[in-house]
Amino acid sequence: MTTFLAVDWGTTNRRVYRIEDGRVAAVESDDRGVKAMAREDYASEIATMRARFGDLPVLIVGMAGSTIGWHEVPYVAAPASIESLAAGLHHVDARTAIVPGVSRLNEGQGEVMRGEEVQILGALAAGLVPADALVCQPGTHCKWVTLSGGSIVDFTTAMTGELFALLKAHSVLAAQLTHEVRDGAAFAEGVRRGAERDLLAALFGVRAASVLGLRDDSDAASYASGLLIGADVAARRVAGREVHLLAEAALGDLYAHAIEMQGGHALRIDSQTAFVAGAAAIGELCL
Amino acid sequence: MTTFLAVDWGTTNRRVYRIEDGRVAAVESDDRGVKAMAREDYASEIATMRARFGDLPVLIVGMAGSTIGWHEVPYVAAPASIESLAAGLHHVDARTAIVPGVSRLNEGQGEVMRGEEVQILGALAAGLVPADALVCQPGTHCKWVTLSGGSIVDFTTAMTGELFALLKAHSVLAAQLTHEVRDGAAFAEGVRRGAERDLLAALFGVRAASVLGLRDDSDAASYASGLLIGADVAARRVAGREVHLLAEAALGDLYAHAIEMQGGHALRIDSQTAFVAGAAAIGELCL
């Protein structure tokens, strides 16, 4: 198989790629994520994609394979490689398949991912990360993934992005968190305080600093973002380690800054390149 | 002065006491907190209280002295004693005064309280805590207060209660957090994990455990409460220390459990007794 369609079907957004010999021939994004779909919509959505991008095999990645998606596809247990994902594909029909997510159990604690695994193993397939590496995918639910021998062997999910959004929308800090986050001195100050890993107290400090006039409110969002990202990075103990960052530009800059401040070395990877490489590697095995 | 009215005027609720010789002769609570008031309402509210409870001096404590209250009363800087609070009273008129809050500055970090100071210094005045003590007042914004030589010398505020409420109302965990919090095995498991102070990752674990069927959803709220309270207590390093708890029964039980699990010794104090003793001690000095 050299030409197929890959769909990165998330909760809120969706991106469709036409992939030819491992390269992107066409790509289109929209907001027709899983939340915007009823179960009976998927078949016609796929037909529409084929009409638009070519009557080709379709590989679906992400939340379309979850309980709130089209077909629930069981997680593949870590350690997970491109081969494990391919073996765990759910074939909806002969030309349409859904990639499984990955789960991990470690001393009674569980972890799950659905969608990130293709980017991460794709980065590996494309030679963008080594076979043994620490990969960080910031976002609403930030993933920290340990690759060993070319497989995902362990990972941790931090609610960093979601917590920031909650605080901004609904908390006593909402009035202070109205400005854009900037990668400057206030962010760095937040990272330092966040690294003390006393987040519950550090967050209230945003309000106290405002009440006492210790920090300009226009810096509060940057500081609070620093607290959260600083606490997230500190718990991963990155000192002396390389961290491979799969992130869009602005959020990647913030994580890179925090990682470097805590003695790690951040290396950036392009998310789209990684996704396409992962989808192509699975497609080569199965479609 | 032996007889006066004391008003604990919070953001949401209000409680009026008639105090005679340091004892409560009458008490009434309602939901006419600061949020329910316009600035011009306070004078008539006070007149109504006097008509109902006696034409007496009135001592006001709490958010009525804040920017969103009646008159903004400047914070007294720590170290703060009953005498400092009395000296910082804002006299609205000859028979009506508002107690100031307390602020602290420590290496550029700020802290503020407004209302808790009267309970804490009242507990001291009533002999319920020693002159050198660690006092914990759990709630939306949990206060951890260091008393030394009979003054509040330092304190920390943790957003523990507010964060739990945010997660329950608005987060990806909302569907799991619908049950009552119980002080049992799931809470204790949460405290242990919370003590690792990796809250951002531990919280996502609530969802992963549900998705993977590792924990009954009816235990999720207890576990999540344990995570937050465990993280809060762990950051205070209570091992080998006495912690004096000013809390209502159920929340006090949870904090006491977490404190004992982390090697501290929890001692309970009745909040109303402490408040009345604090108000009476200020009243003796100034009304």
Side-chain angles (χ1 to χ4, degrees):
Chain A
M1 191 246 4
T2 54
T3 303
F4 69 105
L5 307 184
V7 191
D8 190 358
W9 214 322
T11 303
T12 309
N13 297 304
R14 178 177 73 172
R15 188 170 287 188
V16 183
Y17 299 86
R18 179 185 163 111
I19 299 177
E20 296 179 9
D21 294 321
R23 297 168 63 167
V24 178
V27 58
E28 213 167 80
S29 298
D30 60 33
D31 58 0
R32 309 267 302 145
V34 165
K35 270 205 244 172
M37 297 280 137
R39 192 148 288 163
E40 57 272 23
D41 296 339
Y42 285 90
S44 65
E45 290 286 327
I46 301 282
T48 306
M49 286 177 204
R50 285 194 170 112
R52 183 161 179 73
F53 292 100
D55 190 21
L56 294 163
V58 174
L59 188 70
I60 299 168
V61 174
M63 292 300 283
S66 76
T67 50
I68 59 164
W70 187 12
H71 292 281
E72 188 183 353
V73 182
Y75 294 99
V76 166
S81 61
I82 284 282
E83 289 73 19
S84 328
L85 297 184
L89 276 194
H90 176 85
H91 293 273
V92 180
D93 60 40
R95 298 200 311 153
T96 314
I98 307 177
V99 177
V102 178
S103 65
R104 180 189 69 86
L105 276 181
N106 190 357
E107 297 173 6
Q109 309 279 349
E111 282 285 355
V112 289
M113 64 166 69
R114 204 181 273 284
E116 296 92 345
E117 65 288 337
V118 172
Q119 272 189 29
I120 290 160
L121 293 169
L124 189 74
L128 300 172
V129 298
D132 301 288
L134 175 62
V135 182
C136 172
Q137 240 174 330
T140 302
H141 297 152
C142 180
K143 300 285 179 191
W144 292 84
V145 180
T146 303
L147 290 172
S148 178
S151 290
I152 294 172
V153 293
D154 195 5
F155 61 101
T156 298
T157 310
M159 279 182 57
T160 319
E162 180 170 355
L163 203 59
F164 186 74
L166 287 177
L167 292 166
K168 195 173 158 77
H170 301 293
S171 81
V172 71
L173 309 181
Q176 272 82 57
L177 301 183
T178 53
H179 288 74
E180 284 298 299
V181 173
R182 293 179 306 274
D183 182 13
F187 176 79
E189 188 197 342
V191 170
R192 277 187 292 275
R193 175 79 170 110
E196 297 170 15
R197 295 168 68 181
D198 182 10
L199 202 51
L200 293 166
L203 286 170
F204 187 80
V206 175
R207 172 150 174 80
S210 174
V211 169
L212 296 174
L214 301 175
R215 183 182 303 110
D216 195 291
D217 274 359
S218 68
D219 283 333
S222 302
Y223 177 76
S225 172
L227 287 180
L228 289 163
I229 294 175
D232 186 2
V233 173
R236 288 349 119 200
R237 305 177 191 289
V238 298
R241 302 180 70 182
E242 290 191 337
V243 181
H244 300 267
L245 268 176
L246 273 163
E248 50 86 11
L251 189 56
D253 286 347
L254 297 174
Y255 267 82
H257 189 176
I259 288 164
E260 301 280 345
M261 281 180 67
Q262 297 187 16
H265 182 46
L267 300 159
R268 308 290 287 270
I269 309 165
D270 182 70
S271 301
Q272 178 169 315
T273 306
F275 176 83
V276 170
I282 296 169
E284 289 301 328
L285 291 172
C286 326
L287 290 185
Chain B
M1 189 246 7
T2 54
T3 303
F4 70 105
L5 307 184
V7 191
D8 190 357
W9 214 322
T11 303
T12 310
N13 298 303
R14 178 178 73 172
R15 187 170 286 188
V16 184
Y17 300 85
R18 179 184 164 112
I19 298 177
E20 297 179 8
D21 294 322
R23 297 167 63 169
V24 178
V27 59
E28 212 167 81
S29 298
D30 60 33
D31 59 359
R32 308 268 302 144
V34 164
K35 269 205 243 172
M37 296 281 138
R39 193 150 285 163
E40 56 271 24
D41 296 338
Y42 285 90
S44 65
E45 290 285 328
I46 301 282
T48 306
M49 286 177 203
R50 285 195 169 113
R52 182 162 178 73
F53 292 100
D55 190 21
L56 295 163
V58 174
L59 189 70
I60 298 168
V61 174
M63 293 298 282
S66 76
T67 50
I68 59 164
W70 187 12
H71 292 282
E72 188 182 353
V73 182
Y75 294 100
V76 166
S81 61
I82 284 284
E83 289 73 19
S84 328
L85 297 185
L89 277 193
H90 176 83
H91 293 273
V92 179
D93 60 39
R95 298 200 309 154
T96 313
I98 307 176
V99 178
V102 177
S103 66
R104 180 188 69 84
L105 275 182
N106 190 357
E107 296 172 8
Q109 308 279 348
E111 282 284 356
V112 289
M113 64 167 69
R114 204 180 272 284
E116 296 92 345
E117 64 289 339
V118 172
Q119 272 189 28
I120 290 161
L121 293 169
L124 190 74
L128 300 172
V129 298
D132 302 287
L134 176 61
V135 182
C136 173
Q137 240 173 330
T140 302
H141 298 152
C142 180
K143 299 286 179 191
W144 293 84
V145 180
T146 304
L147 290 172
S148 178
S151 290
I152 294 171
V153 293
D154 196 5
F155 60 102
T156 298
T157 309
M159 279 183 57
T160 320
E162 180 170 355
L163 203 58
F164 186 74
L166 286 178
L167 292 166
K168 195 174 158 75
H170 302 293
S171 80
V172 70
L173 309 182
Q176 272 81 56
L177 300 183
T178 54
H179 287 74
E180 284 298 299
V181 173
R182 293 178 307 274
D183 181 13
F187 176 79
E189 187 197 344
V191 170
R192 276 188 291 275
R193 175 79 169 109
E196 297 169 15
R197 296 167 69 180
D198 182 10
L199 202 50
L200 293 167
L203 286 170
F204 187 80
V206 174
R207 172 150 175 81
S210 173
V211 169
L212 296 174
L214 301 175
R215 183 182 303 108
D216 195 291
D217 274 359
S218 67
D219 284 331
S222 302
Y223 177 77
S225 171
L227 287 180
L228 289 163
I229 294 176
D232 186 2
V233 172
R236 287 349 120 200
R237 306 177 191 287
V238 298
R241 302 180 70 184
E242 291 191 337
V243 181
H244 300 267
L245 269 176
L246 274 163
E248 51 85 12
L251 190 56
D253 286 348
L254 297 174
Y255 267 82
H257 189 177
I259 289 164
E260 301 281 344
M261 280 180 68
Q262 297 187 15
H265 182 45
L267 300 158
R268 308 290 286 269
I269 308 165
D270 182 71
S271 302
Q272 178 169 314
T273 305
F275 177 82
V276 170
I282 296 168
E284 289 299 329
L285 291 172
C286 325
L287 290 184

